[in-house]
Amino acid sequence: MEPMLSTADLPPPPVHVAIIMDGNGRWAKARGLPRTAGHKRGAEAVRRTVEAAREMGVSYLTLYAFSSENWKRPAGEVTDLMGLLRLYLRNEVNNLHKNGIRLKVIGDRNRLGADIVRLIEDSEAKTAGNTALTLLLALSYGGRQEIVEAARSLARDVAEGRISPDSIDEESINARLTTAGVPDPDLIIRTSGEQRISNFLLWQGAYAELVFQDTLWPDFGRNELEAAIRDFHGRDRRFGTAR
Ligand code: FPP
């Protein structure tokens, strides 16, 4: 019999994995289904991936669920996506909590509906003490917008005399991002064959390894996550230093 390869045989996983979940629309189109059907299956892939990441010992998993630019999609699709997010937050939080997962939402909450913000706050509070895995959902998230907000906050502190311009450094910018306190992503995966960063974790991903897979997001799961992590382990990370 073939020896079973268990996750115990793999080197330690990257601490922070971030994923640009792409290809829901194409998955649906290939089956003659409406785009919503792709997003719905995408939500199932989210469940599988969170579970696999936790079992593999990943400490932080960030999923790009809705970008600042996604607000420009047709109103019906935005409503459908918000509906799915609402459902996910309502139905999944107990399960996350049971599995020791902490939920944190990054992005611009001002543009989200009041009921979703409530759900987010409740879910974050409920799971705040969990330590097995931190799941960061990027909602209404844009890397540039996040850097603009950090710059505004620093400018206010300078204008009001709390800090001097010369004291501004990488740490003070980090502290004003919605990811404050979260280590930078080691690995960023994008599915569906597209090879772009699309405004995702622009500052934080400065030294992330990028893995692009052809799999459409609704088909993503444990095998794809393991394959990306194997790719990651094959890379020589130098952070700008000499070999
Ligand atoms: C990209 O597919 C995916 C999105 C814009 C949203 C991701 C949303 C989900 C996976 C579902 C809900 C999420 C959670 C956390 C429950 P696309 O529509 O851009 O696909 P296409 O490029 O093939 O058109």
Side-chain angles (χ1 to χ4, degrees):
M1 209 167 72
E2 283 279 301
M4 283 266 289
L5 198 68
S6 88
T7 46
D9 302 317
L10 297 169
V15 172
H16 184 172
V17 177
I19 310 182
I20 302 174
M21 309 183 287
D22 197 8
N24 293 348
R26 276 162 287 164
W27 184 94
K29 191 171 179 200
R31 289 161 180 77
L33 297 169
R35 295 177 61 82
T36 327
H39 294 318
K40 225 166 147 180
R41 289 294 283 260
E44 288 167 28
V46 166
R47 260 174 232 121
R48 286 197 296 274
T49 305
V50 170
E51 191 178 327
R54 185 185 62 86
E55 287 176 13
M56 291 170 76
V58 169
S59 302
Y60 297 85
L61 175 70
T62 302
L63 301 177
Y64 205 1
F66 195 90
S67 74
S68 306
E69 290 69 33
N70 286 157
W71 291 112
K72 296 181 207 139
R73 291 198 177 191
E77 187 174 350
V78 171
T79 306
D80 285 342
L81 277 167
M82 287 299 145
L84 271 176
L85 289 165
R86 206 176 267 117
L87 267 183
Y88 183 83
L89 290 168
R90 272 208 201 105
N91 299 340
E92 213 51 36
V93 170
N94 284 336
N95 197 27
L96 295 178
H97 191 47
K98 218 172 59 206
N99 287 299
I101 298 169
R102 172 167 70 133
L103 180 77
K104 191 175 152 59
V105 172
I106 59 170
D108 180 7
R109 292 188 191 189
N110 296 325
R111 299 182 72 180
L112 296 170
D115 68 313
I116 294 198
V117 174
R118 263 294 293 281
L119 275 172
I120 291 171
E121 288 169 353
D122 291 352
S123 312
E124 287 181 334
K126 182 173 178 141
T127 61
N130 294 337
T131 55
L133 165 74
T134 297
L135 169 64
L136 291 108
L137 275 189
L139 287 189
S140 190
Y141 177 86
R144 286 186 172 180
Q145 291 84 341
E146 185 185 37
I147 293 168
V148 166
E149 276 309 317
R152 284 188 181 144
S153 152
L154 287 164
R156 274 194 296 270
D157 282 357
V158 170
E160 289 163 24
R162 285 189 288 272
I163 59 169
S164 88
D166 292 335
S167 75
I168 295 172
D169 57 10
E170 292 188 11
E171 283 319 303
S172 50
I173 294 176
N174 272 329
R176 285 166 173 81
L177 300 175
T178 56
T179 49
V182 174
D184 288 342
D186 304 289
L187 166 63
I188 297 180
I189 303 167
R190 183 172 189 146
T191 59
S192 90
E194 307 287 348
Q195 303 196 351
R196 286 187 295 278
I197 284 298
S198 300
N199 208 12
F200 187 47
L201 301 177
L202 291 183
W203 170 276
Q204 301 89 332
Y207 289 101
E209 294 297 329
L210 307 179
V211 169
F212 300 104
Q213 294 183 343
D214 288 334
T215 306
L216 301 174
W217 178 252
D219 293 326
F220 193 92
R222 180 182 305 267
N223 291 341
E224 289 69 24
L225 181 63
E226 283 187 0
I229 291 180
R230 270 198 302 276
D231 266 13
F232 170 84
H233 283 305
R235 305 275 177 92
D236 177 17
R237 298 188 83 200
R238 293 201 304 278
F239 300 95
T241 63
R243 194 182 290 271

